[in-house]
Amino acid sequence: MALNVVMLGPPGAGKGTQAERFATTHGLPKISTGDILREAVQAGTELGRIAKATMDAGELLGDDVMIGIAGERLKRSDTTRGFVLDGFPRTVTQATALDTIMDGRGPLVVVDIVVPEDVLLRRLAARRICGSCGVNALVEWTTTCGVCGGGLVTRTDDGDGIVRGRLKVYHRQTRPIVKFYSKRPTFRVIDGNQPPDAVTAAMDQAICQACTVPDPGKEIPL
Ligand code: AMP
């Protein structure tokens, strides 16, 4: 059975780092819509030109564009054994579209990483991306990018005012997804306010357990 994982959580919860670790350990592609958009910005493509101002303002791109990007990426053959989605879905409309995309492809295991707001603000102030290829820096990269060797820089959308705006956007537009998924037997909540290795272990355990639930396609009756 395919292992289809969706990572939820506010900006700074550690989704990117944990998605990367889980994907690497389990030999699955990590699909980050934020990384796809940052790469498009770096490459100066049409998508990058459309996305840049919205991303810099800490707002969300339109659902149609994002559903198109995720849908195309999920058609690729490397996703047949499963995937780890980071940053998509971000609205209930996107989550509904993902269910349609997933029709017949096995259940989604949804992991919500929970971190207190003051910790998020501190983490976001310290966060870096690669100035050359645009990927999110992992916690273990100190000065250079582990993918291309480029120098690490602060994200333009991680400035103080923008960060607070992004957290508001999260609460208004993305948090309702938790309710959308929370009654599914394959939904799990993880405490993200612990050292990265502890979060990784908790995620592994929660996802393994979620994959052994008897009928993961069905919702638990209220
Ligand atoms: P992230 O790296 O996941 O924090 O994404 C960075 C920025 O990309 C977000 O603040 C949005 O502007 C945009 N973005 C990424 N994923 C999505 C999505 N699923 N829906 C809308 N906008 C997105």
Side-chain angles (χ1 to χ4, degrees):
M1 189 176 71
L3 183 48
N4 307 317
V5 180
V6 171
M7 310 279 301
L8 299 182
K15 295 188 299 293
T17 297
Q18 296 301 334
E20 184 72 41
R21 289 183 176 192
F22 189 86
T24 304
T25 311
H26 296 270
L28 299 172
K30 174 201 158 195
I31 302 173
S32 157
T33 45
D35 283 352
I36 291 172
L37 293 171
R38 276 184 290 279
E39 281 157 23
V41 170
Q42 295 283 342
T45 64
E46 174 77 24
L47 170 65
R49 277 194 295 276
I50 296 168
K52 189 172 181 344
T54 309
M55 293 173 76
D56 284 351
E59 302 285 340
L60 297 187
L61 270 88
D63 285 331
D64 288 351
V65 175
M66 297 313 301
I67 291 165
I69 291 172
E72 282 306 310
R73 180 61 187 86
L74 289 169
K75 275 189 198 152
R76 277 167 52 182
S77 58
D78 63 344
T79 63
T80 46
R81 282 188 53 252
F83 51 79
V84 185
L85 264 181
D86 159 32
F88 185 92
R90 250 181 163 103
T91 63
V92 172
T93 304
Q94 293 179 16
T96 305
L98 181 59
D99 278 346
T100 305
I101 293 168
M102 291 308 296
D103 193 27
R105 291 182 57 169
L108 291 170
V109 178
V110 181
V111 178
D112 183 29
I113 305 187
V114 176
V115 176
E117 192 120 333
D118 58 323
V119 178
L120 292 174
L121 287 169
R122 254 183 285 135
R123 283 189 190 174
L124 289 165
R127 184 155 83 169
R128 303 283 179 271
I129 61 164
C130 175
S132 298
C133 73
V135 300
N136 265 325
L138 301 182
V139 279
E140 49 268 32
W141 303 350
T142 48
T143 52
T144 51
C145 171
V147 176
C148 77
L152 302 183
V153 297
T154 304
R155 278 171 54 160
T156 44
D157 58 351
D158 276 348
D160 194 42
I162 308 275
V163 156
R164 285 175 197 278
R166 286 171 64 211
L167 288 172
K168 277 199 194 126
V169 167
Y170 167 77
H171 285 292
R172 193 174 60 236
Q173 288 172 271
T174 305
R175 187 74 195 157
I177 298 183
V178 171
K179 192 160 171 238
F180 178 88
Y181 286 126
S182 64
K183 291 192 198 78
R184 298 188 188 189
T186 48
F187 174 81
R188 294 289 181 278
V189 176
I190 302 283
D191 174 9
N193 191 20
Q194 2 171 27
D197 288 350
V199 179
T200 305
M203 241 186 74
D204 253 354
Q205 199 188 16
I207 292 174
C208 283
Q209 194 208 16
C211 285
T212 57
V213 295
D215 192 356
K218 294 238 160 57
E219 301 217 342
I220 295 171
L222 287 171

